[in-house]
Amino acid sequence: MSGEAAIDARGVRKVFGKGALAFEALKGVDLRVDRGEFIMLAGPSGSGKTTLLSILGCVLKPSGGEVRLLGELVSALPESKLPRVRTDYIGFIFQGGNLIASLTAGQNVALQLELRGVDTRAANLQARALLEQVGLGDKVDRKPMDLSGGQRQRVAIARALAGEPPVILADEPTAALDAENGRHVTEILRDLSRRLGNTVVVVTHDNRIFHLADRIIYIEDGLIVPEGTHA
Amino acid sequence: MTAQGATAPLAIPPPAVKARPGRHVLLRWRTMVRVGLRMMVHDKLKMIGTLVGVVFAVLLSNQQAGTLMGLLKKNTMFIESSQADIWVVPPNTEQLAPGKFIPEAIAVQARGIAGVAWAEPLLFGGGQVAVPGGSSEAVTVIGTKLPGLRGGPWNMVSGTPEVLRNDDTMIFEDGVRDTLGGLNLGSVREVNGRNVQVGGFTWGLLPFGPAYAFADYDLARLLLKVESDRTNFILIGVTPGQSVTAVRDALQARFTDVQMVTTADFTKRTLRYLLVKSALGVTFGTSTAFGLIVGFVIVALTTFSAVLDNIREFGTLKAIGATNWDLAKLLFAQSIAYALLGSLIGLTLVTRVADGIRSPKFAIIITPTLAVGTTLMMIVLCIVASSFALIRLRKLEPAMVFR
């Protein structure tokens, strides 16, 4: 699949509701993200950036258009095939971490590896190594409730990177963090993804971290604002 | 999925080799079972609530079914303890009950049939014991032949069966000593108008009807006013090594006016009568089912509510690659754990209660079959109950985690 974009979305539309209540969240978005790129999707609330991220992450079906991940036309795949795409191609970082409360930090990361088919013993070893990479080597056995917001988000980064998925999608990863933690978490994500070669798309409206992106894409009213025209 | 653009040596180990396809399936199961159990234990309050439901269901259903078993046992224990292999009973006999008669001569004639080791008549009829103060209490008088004493008495707690050799002496049930006016060894009571002396006591021989009271065969005939050539039942023992059914068939061919039933068949016949024709089966069946239904509803509600409480976590699991089937494994693991744990606690409690309240009049019998049966039933019910939650999860869009 070399030479192809990591993400290639063309004419992506998404309509919520029906009839008079129908709302068009995306109005034909074209987006290409090259392999290894670290981009940010910015825009006001309700502009459609999270909807676009959900479609790129194969957790939401587009109403129109097509999405390719590493050349595979994922938007055409039936619902039953999408969990495999998500485990094989995508690592998610959610706003607030969305860790499983009953699992320790290590188990949360290992779970993602096990879902990717890695044996439990190897998964546990790699989870520990990943947590060390995000500076949480001493928090492997802590549960999410015993971690700070920044630490939880770092666990979420480790989980997303587990198994080295080619694409990482992050939704407002700094929303619940203060400026310093937000920057630190984004730096960790950028540095590790650089070293591992992941393609990263971060949805954010936190302009304090814009400088860390290779490219910033603005989205407004369901459309991508052409580069150079954003105010 | 090799790392691209890696510019520095990584401290992260290379991706571990993925499991083989067959092993992958096993790994998925193990992973989801483990996550399910951890989620279950994490929410302790909900776990206790669900367990209370299962324990309650197991307690109630076992208490009801165990009581039914106890009652049934009390009504079949006489047949099972009689030492007989074959019973000669009046035609159309549905259970062990007094009332009908057969020729006593069959006992003598039966001894001549090949394979018959012994044959003894048994009298079985209603008696009234005059109690000091003027009232009377019913007993079932059993007339049993000396010296064999086939058909009892057994389970003696005071005296010996041989005491029946003494004139006008009977053995009564310990559990009705107070009811019969404070019986003691040597007490004298009037039974069906004849004075008899208490020579001993049995323990726990209390059927659904009046308690058993044993007398020598001839005394019983006088008490029950049975004609000299009639009897109620004949007990037959088969020579060791002979086929019981073959002897039964031979006897039936010889004596066509009576029914020959094996002890096992007579037990089944009595059970069938009690369960189907009396209200016993319906009454206890309903309350047992009620217990199971209550447990089912509690488990269904708590499982559903636990899923709703953790809906974001389930959404996250779906987003990171868990399938609906994976979530089903998780819920099924929880269901089975709840059923097993709840059954263990419930069965422990009910057996303790059964031991505590056991008396000659009342016994809860928890057999291994009943214990295993209710546990399996709880597993099925808990899995079905969790299926409601699964329907909710099937409809759950993983995109909800972005909202």
Side-chain angles (χ1 to χ4, degrees), chain A residues 63-91:
Chain A
S63 307
E66 60 178 47
V67 177
R68 287 175 193 275
L69 286 181
L70 292 108
E72 185 170 353
L73 185 60
V74 291
S75 54
L77 290 174
E79 200 73 45
S80 60
K81 301 276 186 199
L82 296 179
R84 183 192 59 78
V85 174
R86 294 198 287 269
T87 48
D88 286 356
Y89 290 170
I90 305 163

Side-chain angles (χ1 to χ4, degrees), chain A residues 35 101 114-117 133 197, chain B residues 4 11 18-19 28 34 313:
Chain A
R35 291 183 178 210
E114 287 177 285
L115 286 173
R116 289 185 170 137
Q133 286 294 302
Chain B
Q4 293 176 23
K18 289 187 179 183
R28 277 261 169 157
R34 206 171 48 230
E313 292 197 348

Side-chain angles (χ1 to χ4, degrees), chain A residues 35 54 59 86-87 89 92 94 98 101-102 107 112 114-120 122 126 129 133 195-197, chain B residues 1 3-4 6 10-13 16 18-19 27-28 30-31 34 38-39 42 313 316 318-321 401-402:
Chain A
R35 291 183 178 210
S54 302
V59 291
R86 294 198 287 269
T87 48
Y89 290 170
F92 288 101
F94 308 102
N98 274 25
S102 51
Q107 288 162 350
Q112 178 72 85
E114 287 177 285
L115 286 173
R116 289 185 170 137
V118 178
D119 273 325
T120 308
Q126 212 183 357
Q133 286 294 302
R195 289 164 66 187
L196 294 167
Chain B
M1 310 291 169
Q4 293 176 23
L10 285 179
I12 302 170
K18 289 187 179 183
L27 177 70
R28 277 261 169 157
R30 220 172 47 197
T31 303
R34 206 171 48 230
R38 282 181 177 143
M39 283 175 103
H42 182 71
E313 292 197 348
T316 303
K318 280 184 106 167
I320 66 173
V401 292
F402 286 122

